Amino acid sequence: MVKKPRRQIAYVSLLGITQLHLRNPFIIAWWSAAFPGFGHLLLSKYFRGFLLIGWEMVINSQMHLNEAMVYTFIGQFEQAKAIIDLHWMSFYAPVYLFSIYDCYRTSLDLNLNFILAKRENAPIDVFKIGCMEINYLDKRSPWVAIVWSMLMPGMGQLYTNRILNAFFLLANWVVISYLAHLLDGLQYLFMWDLTRSVSVVEMKWLLFLPSIYGFAIYDAYVNTVEYNKLFDREQARLLESNYQHPHFRFPESPLLK
């Protein structure tokens, strides 16, 4: 009887590849602090991540937090105090802190599960085909993923076939850019009409965009690197099981750790 592994190190589906790999809990917690929900997306906990991102946008816009931050940055503290709506503050802080804590705790747990799954050396399904999509495990360039993400957030995720993240980031970028009047502001900025450029944009939406932009680049780069490691690990397992003598142990490459 063949013993079935208790844990999967990766799952390949038509919508993307979900895998376990070592993550720095502090980096995951930092992304969650920068924007609640981003840390969970990095952990492939999509439902929770999408829920927290939607919550952040709704509560933040209702309490005018971004606008208060702008007034604080330029030293207009009285304006910041006047514009912020404290009725929403009690909803914001507990969920914000939970998001950071949950990401940190989950990162530690998933790191332990990755170590155990790696020891079990479970097989990886590398090819999926369906009527709407084809997905397969192969090597791709992290720098190409960065370039596409810089041109348009979400395109780097499409490059690595992470359909859920790609659609979510693309949709958010388009909708928030429209609400913030980003293109109008850029047009006046290129015409060197700085006063009109500042007046036309909506700051409560504009301040969401740097976080989304930076996250799209980081997420595309990290996952492309980890997919390449997964590809190397799967190839090594295939060669070992089919061609390597069972009593010969070849030193493990640092890339596969």
Side-chain angles (χ1 to χ4, degrees):
M1 179 178 179
V2 179
K3 184 179 179 182
K4 184 179 179 181
R6 295 184 62 192
R7 296 169 180 83
Q8 286 182 280
I9 202 168
Y11 175 74
V12 179
S13 71
L14 297 179
L15 297 179
I17 300 173
T18 304
Q19 66 165 320
L20 294 175
H21 61 85
L22 291 178
R23 299 173 173 92
N24 187 326
F26 294 104
I27 293 179
I28 301 297
W30 184 89
W31 274 111
S32 192
F35 205 113
F38 280 174
H40 289 87
L41 293 187
L42 290 171
L43 297 173
S44 299
K45 298 176 74 68
Y46 298 112
F47 180 77
R48 193 174 302 191
F50 296 154
L51 183 65
L52 286 171
I53 291 171
W55 166 87
E56 163 70 15
M57 290 182 177
V58 170
I59 302 299
N60 189 310
S61 61
Q62 290 297 318
M63 67 185 294
H64 306 286
L65 179 60
N66 284 346
E67 296 153 285
M69 289 172 61
V70 172
Y71 286 124
T72 301
F73 293 155
I74 61 178
Q76 297 183 12
F77 301 109
E78 293 301 322
Q79 286 274 22
K81 289 169 60 179
I83 199 172
I84 197 164
D85 190 344
L86 295 179
H87 293 289
W88 293 93
M89 180 66 75
S90 58
F91 295 112
Y92 189 85
V95 181
Y96 180 82
L97 295 175
F98 171 79
S99 175
I100 300 172
Y101 163 78
D102 189 56
C103 277
Y104 181 83
R105 176 194 62 81
T106 305
S107 298
L108 295 176
D109 289 343
L110 291 180
N111 285 347
L112 295 176
N113 277 278
F114 167 75
I115 294 172
L116 294 173
K118 184 181 175 184
R119 290 177 179 174
E120 293 179 6
N121 199 24
I124 302 170
D125 192 2
V126 298
F127 191 89
K128 289 287 184 179
I129 186 169
C131 62
M132 296 294 292
E133 188 62 71
I134 299 174
N135 191 21
Y136 50 90
L137 186 61
D138 68 339
K139 278 200 166 186
R140 304 184 186 187
S141 171
W143 299 109
V144 173
I146 286 180
V147 170
W148 281 115
S149 294
M150 292 176 66
L151 292 175
M152 184 75 171
M155 299 300 290
Q157 283 70 24
L158 277 181
Y159 172 68
T160 54
N161 208 76
R162 304 183 69 226
I163 305 300
L164 287 176
N165 267 17
F167 177 79
F168 185 78
L169 288 170
L170 279 168
N172 268 275
W173 182 260
V174 171
V175 171
I176 295 177
S177 295
Y178 176 81
L179 294 174
H181 303 288
L182 175 65
L183 297 182
D184 299 339
L186 288 176
Q187 179 181 350
Y188 291 124
L189 180 63
F190 293 151
M191 297 168 60
W192 207 246
D193 191 348
L194 303 181
T195 302
R196 196 169 183 182
S197 177
V198 172
S199 64
V200 78
V201 297
E202 290 285 346
M203 286 297 176
K204 68 177 181 179
W205 297 109
L206 185 67
L207 288 191
F208 288 129
L209 296 178
S211 298
I212 296 174
Y213 191 77
F215 173 78
I217 296 172
Y218 177 82
D219 177 68
Y221 175 80
V222 168
N223 279 286
T224 306
V225 170
E226 294 301 331
Y227 289 164
N228 290 345
K229 291 180 181 178
L230 184 65
F231 178 84
D232 289 337
R233 187 175 294 112
E234 194 279 331
Q235 290 290 297
R237 185 186 184 280
L238 175 68
L239 295 173
E240 180 182 341
S241 59
N242 288 278
Y243 301 103
Q244 183 171 307
H245 192 279
H247 300 298
F248 177 79
R249 297 194 57 169
F250 195 83
E252 185 178 9
S253 170
L255 295 176
L256 304 183
K257 292 183 179 180

